Coordinates of all heavy atoms in Angstrom, one line a residue:
M1 N 96.3 -97.6 -12.1 CA 95.6 -98.9 -12.1 C 96.4 -100.0 -11.6 O 97.7 -100.0 -11.7 CB 95.1 -99.2 -13.5 CG 93.7 -98.7 -13.8 SD 93.2 -99.4 -15.4 CE 91.5 -99.1 -15.2
L2 N 95.8 -101.0 -11.0 CA 96.5 -102.2 -10.5 C 97.0 -103.0 -11.7 O 96.5 -103.0 -12.8 CB 95.6 -103.1 -9.7 CG 95.0 -102.4 -8.4 CD1 94.0 -103.3 -7.8 CD2 96.1 -102.0 -7.5
A3 N 98.1 -103.7 -11.4 CA 98.8 -104.5 -12.5 C 97.9 -105.6 -13.0 O 98.0 -105.9 -14.2 CB 100.1 -105.1 -11.9
N4 N 97.0 -106.2 -12.2 CA 96.2 -107.3 -12.7 C 94.8 -106.8 -13.1 O 93.8 -107.6 -13.2 CB 96.0 -108.4 -11.6 CG 95.4 -107.9 -10.3 OD1 95.2 -106.7 -10.2 ND2 95.0 -108.8 -9.4
T5 N 94.6 -105.5 -13.3 CA 93.4 -104.9 -13.7 C 93.4 -104.6 -15.2 O 94.4 -104.2 -15.8 CB 93.1 -103.6 -13.0 OG1 93.1 -103.8 -11.6 CG2 91.8 -102.9 -13.4
F6 N 92.3 -105.0 -15.9 CA 92.2 -104.6 -17.3 C 90.8 -104.3 -17.6 O 89.8 -104.6 -16.8 CB 92.8 -105.7 -18.2 CG 92.1 -107.0 -18.1 CD1 91.1 -107.4 -19.0 CD2 92.5 -108.0 -17.2 CE1 90.4 -108.6 -18.9 CE2 91.9 -109.2 -17.1 CZ 90.8 -109.5 -18.0
V7 N 90.5 -103.7 -18.7 CA 89.2 -103.3 -19.2 C 88.8 -104.1 -20.5 O 89.7 -104.2 -21.3 CB 89.1 -101.8 -19.4 CG1 87.7 -101.4 -19.9 CG2 89.4 -101.1 -18.1
D8 N 87.6 -104.5 -20.6 CA 87.1 -105.2 -21.8 C 85.6 -104.7 -21.9 O 85.1 -104.2 -21.0 CB 87.2 -106.7 -21.7 CG 87.4 -107.3 -23.1 OD1 86.9 -106.7 -24.1 OD2 88.0 -108.3 -23.2
N9 N 85.0 -104.9 -23.0 CA 83.7 -104.6 -23.2 C 82.9 -105.5 -24.1 O 83.6 -106.3 -24.8 CB 83.5 -103.1 -23.7 CG 84.1 -103.0 -25.1 OD1 83.7 -103.6 -26.0 ND2 85.2 -102.1 -25.2
A10 N 81.6 -105.5 -24.0 CA 80.8 -106.3 -24.9 C 79.5 -105.5 -25.3 O 79.1 -104.6 -24.6 CB 80.4 -107.6 -24.1
K11 N 79.0 -105.9 -26.4 CA 77.8 -105.2 -26.9 C 76.5 -105.9 -26.3 O 76.4 -107.1 -26.3 CB 77.7 -105.3 -28.4 CG 76.6 -104.5 -29.0 CD 76.7 -104.6 -30.5 CE 75.5 -103.9 -31.2 NZ 75.6 -103.9 -32.7
V12 N 75.5 -105.1 -25.9 CA 74.3 -105.7 -25.4 C 73.4 -105.9 -26.7 O 73.2 -104.9 -27.4 CB 73.6 -104.7 -24.4 CG1 72.3 -105.3 -24.0 CG2 74.5 -104.5 -23.2
M13 N 72.9 -107.1 -26.8 CA 72.1 -107.4 -28.0 C 70.6 -107.1 -27.7 O 70.2 -106.7 -26.6 CB 72.2 -108.9 -28.4 CG 73.7 -109.3 -28.6 SD 74.6 -108.2 -29.8 CE 73.9 -108.9 -31.4
A14 N 69.7 -107.2 -28.7 CA 68.3 -106.8 -28.6 C 67.6 -107.5 -27.4 O 66.8 -106.8 -26.7 CB 67.6 -107.2 -29.9
K15 N 67.9 -108.7 -27.1 CA 67.3 -109.4 -26.0 C 68.0 -109.3 -24.6 O 67.7 -109.9 -23.7 CB 67.1 -110.9 -26.3 CG 66.2 -111.2 -27.4 CD 66.0 -112.6 -27.7 CE 65.0 -112.9 -28.8 NZ 64.8 -114.3 -29.0
G16 N 68.9 -108.3 -24.6 CA 69.7 -108.0 -23.3 C 70.9 -109.0 -23.1 O 71.5 -109.0 -22.1
Q17 N 71.2 -109.8 -24.1 CA 72.3 -110.8 -24.0 C 73.6 -110.1 -24.4 O 73.6 -109.2 -25.2 CB 72.0 -112.0 -24.9 CG 70.7 -112.7 -24.5 CD 70.4 -113.8 -25.5 OE1 70.6 -113.6 -26.7 NE2 69.9 -114.9 -25.1
I18 N 74.7 -110.6 -23.7 CA 76.0 -110.3 -24.1 C 76.9 -111.5 -24.2 O 76.5 -112.6 -23.7 CB 76.7 -109.3 -23.1 CG1 76.8 -110.0 -21.7 CG2 75.9 -108.0 -22.9 CD1 77.7 -109.3 -20.7
T19 N 78.0 -111.4 -24.9 CA 78.9 -112.5 -24.9 C 80.1 -112.0 -24.0 O 80.6 -110.9 -24.2 CB 79.5 -112.7 -26.4 OG1 78.4 -113.1 -27.2 CG2 80.6 -113.8 -26.4
I20 N 80.4 -112.8 -23.0 CA 81.5 -112.5 -22.1 C 82.8 -112.7 -22.9 O 83.0 -113.8 -23.4 CB 81.5 -113.3 -20.9 CG1 80.2 -113.2 -20.1 CG2 82.7 -113.0 -20.0 CD1 80.0 -114.1 -19.0
P21 N 83.6 -111.7 -23.0 CA 84.9 -111.8 -23.8 C 85.8 -113.0 -23.2 O 85.7 -113.3 -22.0 CB 85.6 -110.5 -23.6 CG 84.5 -109.5 -23.3 CD 83.5 -110.3 -22.5
K22 N 86.5 -113.6 -24.1 CA 87.3 -114.8 -23.8 C 88.2 -114.5 -22.6 O 88.3 -115.4 -21.7 CB 88.1 -115.3 -25.0 CG 88.9 -116.5 -24.7 CD 89.6 -117.0 -25.9 CE 90.4 -118.3 -25.6 NZ 91.3 -118.7 -26.7
D23 N 88.9 -113.4 -22.7 CA 89.9 -113.1 -21.6 C 89.2 -113.0 -20.2 O 89.7 -113.4 -19.2 CB 90.8 -111.9 -21.9 CG 90.0 -110.7 -22.2 OD1 88.8 -110.7 -22.5 OD2 90.6 -109.6 -22.3
I24 N 87.9 -112.5 -20.2 CA 87.2 -112.4 -19.0 C 86.7 -113.8 -18.5 O 86.8 -114.1 -17.3 CB 85.9 -111.5 -19.1 CG1 86.3 -110.1 -19.6 CG2 85.1 -111.4 -17.9 CD1 87.2 -109.3 -18.6
R25 N 86.3 -114.6 -19.5 CA 85.9 -116.0 -19.1 C 87.1 -116.8 -18.5 O 86.9 -117.5 -17.5 CB 85.4 -116.7 -20.3 CG 84.0 -116.2 -20.9 CD 83.4 -117.1 -21.9 NE 84.3 -117.6 -22.9 CZ 84.4 -117.0 -24.1 NH1 83.7 -115.9 -24.4 NH2 85.2 -117.5 -25.0
E26 N 88.2 -116.5 -19.0 CA 89.4 -117.2 -18.5 C 89.8 -116.8 -17.1 O 90.0 -117.6 -16.2 CB 90.6 -117.0 -19.4 CG 90.5 -117.8 -20.8 CD 91.6 -117.4 -21.8 OE1 92.4 -116.5 -21.5 OE2 91.6 -118.1 -22.8
V27 N 89.6 -115.5 -16.9 CA 89.9 -115.0 -15.5 C 88.9 -115.5 -14.5 O 89.3 -115.9 -13.4 CB 89.9 -113.4 -15.5 CG1 89.9 -112.8 -14.1 CG2 91.1 -112.8 -16.3
L28 N 87.6 -115.6 -14.9 CA 86.6 -116.1 -14.0 C 86.6 -117.6 -13.9 O 86.1 -118.2 -13.0 CB 85.2 -115.7 -14.6 CG 84.9 -114.2 -14.5 CD1 83.5 -113.9 -15.1 CD2 84.9 -113.7 -13.1
G29 N 87.3 -118.3 -14.9 CA 87.3 -119.7 -14.8 C 86.0 -120.3 -15.2 O 85.6 -121.3 -14.6
V30 N 85.3 -119.7 -16.1 CA 84.0 -120.2 -16.6 C 84.0 -120.7 -18.0 O 84.8 -120.1 -18.8 CB 82.8 -119.2 -16.4 CG1 82.6 -118.9 -14.9 CG2 83.1 -117.9 -17.2
A31 N 83.2 -121.6 -18.3 CA 83.1 -122.2 -19.7 C 81.6 -122.4 -20.0 O 80.7 -122.1 -19.2 CB 83.8 -123.5 -19.8
S32 N 81.3 -122.8 -21.2 CA 80.0 -123.0 -21.6 C 79.2 -123.9 -20.6 O 79.7 -124.9 -20.2 CB 80.0 -123.7 -23.0 OG 78.7 -124.0 -23.4
G33 N 78.0 -123.4 -20.2 CA 77.2 -124.1 -19.3 C 77.4 -123.7 -17.8 O 76.6 -124.0 -17.0
D34 N 78.5 -123.1 -17.5 CA 78.7 -122.6 -16.1 C 77.8 -121.4 -15.8 O 77.3 -120.8 -16.7 CB 80.2 -122.2 -16.0 CG 81.2 -123.3 -16.0 OD1 80.7 -124.5 -15.9 OD2 82.4 -123.1 -16.1
R35 N 77.7 -121.2 -14.5 CA 76.8 -120.0 -14.1 C 77.7 -118.9 -13.6 O 78.8 -119.2 -13.1 CB 75.8 -120.5 -13.1 CG 74.9 -121.6 -13.6 CD 73.7 -121.9 -12.7 NE 72.9 -120.8 -12.4 CZ 71.9 -120.4 -13.2 NH1 71.6 -121.1 -14.3 NH2 71.1 -119.4 -12.9
I36 N 77.2 -117.7 -13.7 CA 77.9 -116.5 -13.2 C 76.9 -115.8 -12.3 O 75.7 -115.9 -12.5 CB 78.5 -115.6 -14.3 CG1 77.4 -115.1 -15.2 CG2 79.6 -116.3 -15.1 CD1 77.9 -114.0 -16.1
T37 N 77.4 -115.0 -11.4 CA 76.6 -114.2 -10.5 C 76.9 -112.8 -10.7 O 78.1 -112.4 -10.9 CB 76.9 -114.6 -9.0 OG1 76.6 -116.0 -8.8 CG2 76.1 -113.7 -8.0
F38 N 75.9 -111.9 -10.8 CA 76.0 -110.5 -10.9 C 75.8 -109.9 -9.5 O 74.8 -110.1 -8.9 CB 75.0 -109.9 -11.8 CG 75.1 -110.4 -13.2 CD1 74.5 -111.5 -13.7 CD2 75.9 -109.7 -14.1 CE1 74.6 -112.0 -15.0 CE2 76.1 -110.2 -15.5 CZ 75.4 -111.3 -15.9
I39 N 76.8 -109.1 -9.0 CA 76.7 -108.5 -7.7 C 76.6 -107.0 -8.0 O 77.5 -106.4 -8.5 CB 77.9 -108.8 -6.8 CG1 78.0 -110.4 -6.6 CG2 77.8 -108.1 -5.5 CD1 79.2 -110.8 -6.0
V40 N 75.5 -106.4 -7.6 CA 75.2 -105.0 -7.9 C 75.5 -104.2 -6.6 O 74.9 -104.5 -5.5 CB 73.8 -104.7 -8.4 CG1 73.6 -103.3 -8.6 CG2 73.5 -105.6 -9.6
E41 N 76.4 -103.2 -6.7 CA 76.7 -102.3 -5.6 C 76.7 -100.9 -6.1 O 77.6 -100.5 -6.7 CB 78.2 -102.7 -5.1 CG 78.3 -104.1 -4.5 CD 79.7 -104.6 -4.4 OE1 80.6 -104.1 -5.1 OE2 80.0 -105.4 -3.5
G42 N 75.5 -100.3 -5.8 CA 75.3 -98.9 -6.3 C 75.2 -99.0 -7.8 O 74.4 -99.7 -8.3
N43 N 76.0 -98.2 -8.5 CA 76.0 -98.3 -10.0 C 77.1 -99.1 -10.6 O 77.4 -99.0 -11.8 CB 76.0 -96.9 -10.5 CG 77.3 -96.2 -10.3 OD1 78.1 -96.6 -9.5 ND2 77.5 -95.0 -10.9
T44 N 77.7 -100.0 -9.7 CA 78.8 -100.9 -10.2 C 78.3 -102.3 -10.1 O 77.6 -102.7 -9.2 CB 80.0 -100.7 -9.3 OG1 80.4 -99.4 -9.3 CG2 81.1 -101.6 -9.7
V45 N 78.6 -103.1 -11.1 CA 78.3 -104.5 -11.2 C 79.5 -105.4 -11.3 O 80.4 -105.1 -12.1 CB 77.3 -104.8 -12.4 CG1 77.0 -106.3 -12.4 CG2 76.1 -104.0 -12.3
R46 N 79.6 -106.4 -10.4 CA 80.7 -107.3 -10.5 C 80.2 -108.6 -11.0 O 79.1 -109.0 -10.6 CB 81.3 -107.6 -9.1 CG 82.1 -106.4 -8.5 CD 82.9 -106.7 -7.2 NE 82.0 -107.2 -6.2 CZ 82.3 -108.3 -5.4 NH1 83.4 -108.9 -5.5 NH2 81.4 -108.7 -4.5
I47 N 80.9 -109.2 -11.9 CA 80.6 -110.6 -12.4 C 81.5 -111.6 -11.8 O 82.7 -111.4 -11.9 CB 80.6 -110.6 -13.9 CG1 79.7 -109.6 -14.5 CG2 80.3 -112.0 -14.5 CD1 79.8 -109.4 -16.0
V48 N 81.0 -112.6 -11.2 CA 81.8 -113.6 -10.5 C 81.4 -115.0 -10.9 O 80.2 -115.2 -11.3 CB 81.8 -113.4 -9.0 CG1 82.4 -112.1 -8.5 CG2 80.4 -113.6 -8.4
N49 N 82.3 -115.9 -10.8 CA 82.0 -117.4 -11.0 C 81.0 -117.8 -9.9 O 81.4 -117.6 -8.7 CB 83.3 -118.2 -11.0 CG 83.1 -119.6 -11.2 OD1 82.2 -120.2 -10.7 ND2 84.0 -120.2 -12.0
S50 N 79.8 -118.3 -10.2 CA 78.8 -118.6 -9.2 C 79.4 -119.7 -8.2 O 79.1 -119.6 -7.0 CB 77.6 -119.1 -9.8 OG 76.9 -118.0 -10.5
A51 N 80.1 -120.7 -8.7 CA 80.6 -121.7 -7.8 C 81.6 -121.2 -6.8 O 81.6 -121.5 -5.6 CB 81.2 -122.9 -8.6
V52 N 82.5 -120.3 -7.3 CA 83.5 -119.7 -6.5 C 82.8 -118.8 -5.4 O 83.1 -118.8 -4.2 CB 84.5 -118.9 -7.3 CG1 85.5 -118.1 -6.4 CG2 85.3 -119.9 -8.2
Y53 N 81.8 -118.0 -5.9 CA 81.1 -117.1 -5.0 C 80.4 -117.9 -3.9 O 80.4 -117.5 -2.7 CB 80.2 -116.2 -5.8 CG 79.4 -115.2 -5.0 CD1 80.1 -114.2 -4.4 CD2 78.0 -115.3 -4.8 CE1 79.5 -113.2 -3.6 CE2 77.4 -114.4 -4.1 CZ 78.1 -113.3 -3.5 OH 77.4 -112.4 -2.7
A54 N 79.7 -119.0 -4.3 CA 79.0 -119.8 -3.3 C 79.9 -120.3 -2.2 O 79.6 -120.3 -1.0 CB 78.3 -120.9 -4.0
M55 N 81.1 -120.8 -2.7 CA 82.1 -121.3 -1.7 C 82.6 -120.2 -0.8 O 82.8 -120.4 0.4 CB 83.3 -121.9 -2.4 CG 84.3 -122.6 -1.5 SD 83.6 -123.9 -0.4 CE 83.2 -125.2 -1.6
Q56 N 82.8 -119.0 -1.3 CA 83.3 -117.9 -0.5 C 82.2 -117.5 0.6 O 82.5 -117.2 1.7 CB 83.6 -116.7 -1.4 CG 84.8 -116.8 -2.2 CD 85.0 -115.7 -3.2 OE1 84.1 -115.0 -3.6 NE2 86.2 -115.6 -3.7
V57 N 81.0 -117.5 0.2 CA 79.9 -117.2 1.1 C 79.8 -118.2 2.2 O 79.7 -117.9 3.4 CB 78.5 -117.1 0.3 CG1 77.3 -117.0 1.3 CG2 78.5 -115.8 -0.6
L58 N 79.9 -119.5 1.8 CA 79.9 -120.6 2.8 C 81.0 -120.5 3.7 O 80.8 -120.6 5.0 CB 79.9 -121.9 2.1 CG 79.9 -123.2 3.0 CD1 78.7 -123.3 3.8 CD2 80.1 -124.5 2.1
Q59 N 82.2 -120.2 3.2 CA 83.4 -120.1 4.1 C 83.2 -119.0 5.1 O 83.5 -119.1 6.3 CB 84.6 -119.9 3.3 CG 85.1 -121.2 2.6 CD 86.2 -120.9 1.6 OE1 86.5 -119.8 1.1 NE2 87.0 -122.0 1.4
K60 N 82.6 -117.8 4.6 CA 82.4 -116.7 5.5 C 81.4 -117.1 6.6 O 81.5 -116.7 7.7 CB 81.9 -115.5 4.7 CG 81.7 -114.2 5.5 CD 81.4 -113.1 4.6 CE 81.2 -111.8 5.4 NZ 80.7 -110.7 4.5
E61 N 80.3 -117.7 6.2 CA 79.3 -118.1 7.1 C 79.8 -119.1 8.2 O 79.3 -119.1 9.3 CB 78.1 -118.7 6.4 CG 77.3 -117.8 5.6 CD 76.5 -116.7 6.4 OE1 76.0 -117.1 7.5 OE2 76.5 -115.6 6.0
M62 N 80.7 -120.0 7.8 CA 81.2 -121.0 8.7 C 82.4 -120.6 9.5 O 82.9 -121.4 10.4 CB 81.6 -122.3 7.8 CG 80.4 -122.9 7.1 SD 79.1 -123.5 8.2 CE 80.0 -124.8 9.1
A63 N 82.9 -119.4 9.2 CA 84.1 -118.9 9.9 C 83.9 -119.0 11.4 O 82.9 -118.5 11.9 CB 84.5 -117.5 9.5
G64 N 84.8 -119.7 12.1 CA 84.8 -119.7 13.6 C 83.9 -120.9 14.1 O 83.9 -121.1 15.3
E65 N 83.1 -121.5 13.3 CA 82.3 -122.6 13.8 C 83.0 -123.8 14.4 O 82.6 -124.3 15.4 CB 81.3 -123.1 12.7 CG 80.2 -122.2 12.3 CD 79.3 -121.8 13.5 OE1 78.9 -122.7 14.2 OE2 79.0 -120.6 13.6
A66 N 84.2 -124.1 13.8 CA 85.0 -125.2 14.4 C 85.4 -124.9 15.8 O 85.3 -125.7 16.7 CB 86.2 -125.5 13.5
E67 N 85.9 -123.7 16.0 CA 86.3 -123.3 17.4 C 85.1 -123.3 18.3 O 85.2 -123.8 19.5 CB 86.9 -121.9 17.3 CG 88.3 -121.9 16.7 CD 88.9 -120.5 16.6 OE1 88.5 -119.6 17.4 OE2 89.8 -120.3 15.8
R68 N 83.9 -122.8 17.9 CA 82.8 -122.8 18.8 C 82.3 -124.2 19.1 O 81.8 -124.4 20.2 CB 81.7 -122.0 18.1 CG 81.9 -120.5 18.1 CD 80.6 -119.7 17.7 NE 80.5 -119.6 16.2 CZ 81.2 -118.8 15.4 NH1 82.0 -118.0 16.0 NH2 81.0 -118.8 14.1
A69 N 82.6 -125.1 18.2 CA 82.2 -126.5 18.5 C 83.3 -127.3 19.2 O 83.1 -128.5 19.5 CB 81.9 -127.2 17.1
G70 N 84.4 -126.6 19.6 CA 85.4 -127.2 20.3 C 86.4 -128.1 19.5 O 87.1 -128.9 20.0
L71 N 86.4 -127.8 18.2 CA 87.3 -128.6 17.3 C 88.5 -127.7 17.0 O 88.4 -126.8 16.3 CB 86.5 -128.9 16.0 CG 85.2 -129.7 16.2 CD1 84.5 -129.8 14.8 CD2 85.4 -131.0 16.8
S72 N 89.6 -128.1 17.6 CA 90.8 -127.3 17.4 C 91.9 -128.0 16.7 O 93.0 -127.4 16.4 CB 91.4 -126.8 18.8 OG 91.6 -127.9 19.6
S73 N 91.7 -129.2 16.3 CA 92.7 -130.0 15.6 C 92.1 -131.0 14.6 O 90.9 -131.3 14.7 CB 93.7 -130.7 16.5 OG 93.0 -131.8 17.1
D74 N 92.9 -131.5 13.7 CA 92.4 -132.6 12.8 C 91.9 -133.8 13.6 O 91.0 -134.4 13.2 CB 93.5 -133.0 11.8 CG 93.8 -131.9 10.8 OD1 93.0 -130.9 10.7 OD2 94.8 -132.0 10.1
D75 N 92.6 -134.1 14.7 CA 92.2 -135.2 15.5 C 90.8 -135.0 16.1 O 90.0 -136.0 16.2 CB 93.2 -135.5 16.7 CG 94.6 -136.0 16.1 OD1 94.6 -136.5 15.0 OD2 95.6 -135.8 16.9
D76 N 90.5 -133.8 16.5 CA 89.2 -133.5 17.0 C 88.1 -133.7 16.0 O 87.1 -134.3 16.3 CB 89.1 -132.0 17.5 CG 89.9 -131.8 18.8 OD1 90.3 -132.7 19.5 OD2 90.2 -130.6 19.0
V77 N 88.4 -133.3 14.8 CA 87.5 -133.5 13.7 C 87.3 -134.9 13.4 O 86.1 -135.4 13.2 CB 87.9 -132.7 12.4 CG1 87.0 -133.0 11.2 CG2 88.0 -131.2 12.6
M78 N 88.3 -135.7 13.3 CA 88.2 -137.1 13.0 C 87.4 -137.9 14.1 O 86.6 -138.7 13.8 CB 89.6 -137.7 12.9 CG 90.4 -137.3 11.7 SD 89.5 -137.6 10.1 CE 89.4 -139.3 10.0
A79 N 87.6 -137.4 15.4 CA 86.9 -138.1 16.5 C 85.4 -137.8 16.3 O 84.6 -138.7 16.6 CB 87.4 -137.5 17.8
L80 N 85.1 -136.6 15.9 CA 83.6 -136.2 15.8 C 83.0 -137.0 14.6 O 82.0 -137.5 14.7 CB 83.5 -134.7 15.5 CG 82.1 -134.2 15.2 CD1 81.2 -134.5 16.4 CD2 82.1 -132.7 14.8
V81 N 83.8 -137.1 13.5 CA 83.3 -137.9 12.4 C 83.0 -139.4 12.8 O 82.0 -139.9 12.5 CB 84.3 -137.8 11.2 CG1 83.9 -138.8 10.1 CG2 84.3 -136.4 10.6
K82 N 84.0 -140.0 13.5 CA 83.8 -141.3 14.0 C 82.6 -141.5 14.9 O 81.8 -142.4 14.8 CB 85.1 -141.8 14.7 CG 86.2 -142.1 13.8 CD 87.5 -142.5 14.5 CE 88.6 -142.7 13.6 NZ 89.9 -143.1 14.3
E83 N 82.4 -140.5 15.8 CA 81.3 -140.5 16.7 C 80.0 -140.4 15.9 O 79.0 -141.2 16.2 CB 81.4 -139.3 17.6 CG 80.2 -139.2 18.6 CD 80.4 -138.0 19.5 OE1 81.5 -137.6 19.8 OE2 79.4 -137.4 19.8
L84 N 79.9 -139.6 14.9 CA 78.7 -139.4 14.1 C 78.4 -140.6 13.3 O 77.3 -141.1 13.1 CB 78.8 -138.2 13.2 CG 78.8 -136.8 13.9 CD1 79.1 -135.7 13.0 CD2 77.5 -136.6 14.7
R85 N 79.5 -141.3 12.8 CA 79.3 -142.5 12.0 C 78.8 -143.6 12.9 O 77.9 -144.4 12.5 CB 80.6 -142.9 11.3 CG 80.9 -142.1 10.2 CD 82.2 -142.5 9.5 NE 82.5 -141.7 8.3 CZ 83.7 -141.6 7.8 NH1 84.7 -142.3 8.2 NH2 83.9 -140.8 6.7
N86 N 79.3 -143.7 14.1 CA 78.8 -144.7 15.0 C 77.3 -144.5 15.4 O 76.6 -145.5 15.5 CB 79.7 -144.7 16.3 CG 81.0 -145.3 16.1 OD1 81.2 -146.1 15.2 ND2 82.0 -145.0 16.9
E87 N 76.9 -143.3 15.5 CA 75.5 -143.0 15.8 C 74.6 -143.4 14.6 O 73.5 -144.0 14.8 CB 75.3 -141.5 16.1 CG 75.9 -141.0 17.4 CD 75.7 -139.5 17.6 OE1 75.0 -138.8 16.8 OE2 76.3 -139.0 18.6
D88 N 75.1 -143.2 13.4 CA 74.4 -143.6 12.2 C 74.2 -145.1 12.1 O 73.2 -145.6 11.8 CB 75.0 -143.1 10.9 CG 74.8 -141.6 10.7 OD1 73.9 -141.0 11.4 OD2 75.5 -141.0 9.9
E89 N 75.3 -145.8 12.5 CA 75.3 -147.3 12.4 C 74.3 -147.9 13.5 O 73.7 -148.9 13.3 CB 76.7 -147.9 12.6 CG 77.6 -147.6 11.4 CD 79.0 -148.0 11.6 OE1 79.3 -148.6 12.7 OE2 79.8 -147.8 10.7
N90 N 74.2 -147.2 14.6 CA 73.4 -147.7 15.8 C 72.0 -147.3 15.7 O 71.1 -147.7 16.4 CB 74.0 -147.2 17.1 CG 75.4 -147.8 17.4 OD1 75.7 -148.9 16.9 ND2 76.2 -147.1 18.1
A91 N 71.7 -146.4 14.7 CA 70.3 -145.9 14.6 C 69.4 -146.8 13.8 O 69.7 -147.7 13.2 CB 70.3 -144.5 13.9

């Protein structure tokens, strides 16, 4: 097993609810009121922090977009932002 891998368990209650063990909540970085996402792959389920997962999906979707838009440096990005702001002011 990997060094950062561990096993924990929880009991499923009558209404299908479980309490996520504290050590798992800490690893996921979730607290009361936060959302989690269940990713089902065959007969395996991964539980992930929904905010982190959403950011990972967005980053994957946006990969390469800056290059396709011709933005290869911070200066290019700043120039585009200034251009868009000027368009908003003139509209």
Side-chain angles (χ1 to χ4, degrees):
M1 262 188 167
L2 300 173
N4 63 350
T5 301
F6 62 93
V7 176
D8 210 331
N9 62 62
K11 182 178 180 180
V12 179
M13 303 309 281
K15 294 183 179 182
Q17 298 170 324
I18 63 167
T19 297
I20 301 170
K22 182 180 179 187
D23 53 348
I24 303 295
R25 292 191 313 265
E26 289 173 353
V27 168
L28 293 177
V30 296
S32 179
D34 290 346
R35 298 189 63 82
I36 59 170
T37 297
F38 297 90
I39 302 169
V40 180
E41 298 165 329
N43 65 349
T44 301
V45 177
R46 290 189 301 138
I47 300 173
V48 297
N49 180 319
S50 292
V52 171
Y53 182 67
M55 185 57 72
Q56 290 171 340
V57 169
L58 178 62
Q59 287 173 335
K60 185 176 179 183
E61 291 292 320
M62 296 300 294
E65 287 300 318
E67 289 178 22
R68 284 190 279 280
L71 305 172
S72 58
S73 70
D74 289 345
D75 291 337
D76 292 341
V77 173
M78 292 305 294
L80 177 61
V81 169
K82 287 178 183 176
E83 179 182 325
L84 293 172
R85 285 181 179 163
N86 286 337
E87 287 177 9
D88 284 345
E89 289 174 4
N90 296 329

